[in-house]
Structure formats: C-alpha cells, structure tokens
Amino acid sequence: QVKGVYTLQVGHPLKDLSGTGQLIFLASTHVLVGSVAATIDQAKNNNELKIFAVTDQDWKVNKEVTLKVLVKEAVKAGNTVLVFSPSGWSQELTTAADGTVHFKPLWPGKYVIEVQEFSRTPGELNGNKYATIWQGATYSFDVAK
C-alpha cells in the first residue's frame, strides 16, 4: 500500500447510437490512501469532460466547495452543474467565466456532481454515422461533519 491520492476514472461510450447521436458516460473520483496531506492532481484525469473540486480535500459541512468544469482541458462558462446530496437535496448551478461553481454542503456524506456537454460533432461508430455527441460526467466526494 502506497500512501497518496489516487484518481479513479472511467469513460464509457455506448456501443450503439441513440438516434443520430453518440452518448458517452464519464466518471471520476479521488481516493486518499493513508493519513497524508496530499494535493489532488487534476492532470491525472484525462476524461474529455470533467468536473472536479478545486478546494482541498478537507470537505466539511457548511464549508464552501469550489468545483471546476473542463471541456477538452478548456473552461466553459454557462455549463449546468447538478449537485446531489446524500439527503436527496439537489441544486442546479451554472459555471462562471472561469468554469467554476460554488456551494456549501449542508449534510455529511457522499455528494455526486453531474455536468453535461452537447456538441454537433459528426462521426461514425460501428459503421453508423452520427451528427451529435452527448457527454455526461460525474464526480463524487465525501463531506465530513
């Protein structure tokens, strides 16, 4: 066991098209191994669409969390970000010019964050042509009391 912060990620394009679009599901999280003060290295997440916490990993109730969205490593204003709490509460936020959103978690537990990106990018998948790509990315982290 090597102490540090590990990035877990998955990218899963559906094998079949949805109408004339390709759907791609992306997810990431970070796992801290050992009791070390480590910095999360976002460069380790190479998903095309990603959302991650900019603030340190010491997430606590009523302590502001800043999240950032990158699309192909570039910030994008106007993306809708959904925040889901362990209590069932949810909030819709919109990214600022620097690609960030801010919120204060009200309950301890696992939070799931979701962002979507839609582009009119044509291509071909398994011999079938598509006109659009939809990507959905999630990020999760635990909030302490």
Side-chain angles (χ1 to χ4, degrees), residues 82-133:
L82 300 172
V83 178
F84 300 96
S85 79
S87 71
W89 168 90
S90 65
Q91 184 177 15
E92 185 175 298
L93 306 167
T94 303
T95 56
D98 64 355
T100 62
V101 294
H102 311 273
F103 81 100
K104 285 187 182 179
L106 302 176
W107 299 274
K110 183 166 297 296
Y111 281 73
V112 176
I113 315 300
E114 181 180 287
V115 64
Q116 301 176 30
E117 176 68 15
F118 178 81
S119 66
R120 296 192 183 283
T121 305
E124 189 174 312
L125 179 68
N126 299 326
N128 299 307
K129 294 184 187 250
Y130 59 84
T132 60
I133 297 175

Side-chain angles (χ1 to χ4, degrees), residues 1-140:
Q1 172 183 14
V2 178
K3 293 179 181 180
V5 176
Y6 292 84
T7 300
L8 305 177
Q9 68 181 35
V10 64
H12 178 70
L14 290 186
K15 67 177 185 159
D16 297 318
L17 297 179
S18 174
T20 60
Q22 181 183 27
L23 305 179
I24 303 171
F25 295 90
L26 308 158
S28 65
T29 193
H30 295 94
V31 177
L32 181 63
V33 175
S35 57
V36 298
T39 302
I40 295 172
D41 182 1
Q42 294 310 324
K44 303 259 187 234
N45 180 343
N46 58 12
N47 282 337
E48 205 170 86
L49 171 64
K50 56 187 162 187
I51 185 162
F52 54 89
V54 175
T55 49
D56 63 24
Q57 65 266 21
D58 185 28
W59 301 299
K60 292 185 179 170
V61 170
N62 292 318
K63 182 178 175 186
E64 186 172 85
V65 174
T66 300
L67 303 165
K68 188 168 195 166
V69 174
L70 294 178
V71 180
K72 296 182 181 177
E73 298 303 322
V75 298
K76 182 177 175 189
N79 273 77
T80 299
V81 174
L82 300 172
V83 178
F84 300 96
S85 79
S87 71
W89 168 90
S90 65
Q91 184 177 15
E92 185 175 298
L93 306 167
T94 303
T95 56
D98 64 355
T100 62
V101 294
H102 311 273
F103 81 100
K104 285 187 182 179
L106 302 176
W107 299 274
K110 183 166 297 296
Y111 281 73
V112 176
I113 315 300
E114 181 180 287
V115 64
Q116 301 176 30
E117 176 68 15
F118 178 81
S119 66
R120 296 192 183 283
T121 305
E124 189 174 312
L125 179 68
N126 299 326
N128 299 307
K129 294 184 187 250
Y130 59 84
T132 60
I133 297 175
W134 174 91
Q135 294 177 315
T138 59
Y139 177 70
S140 64

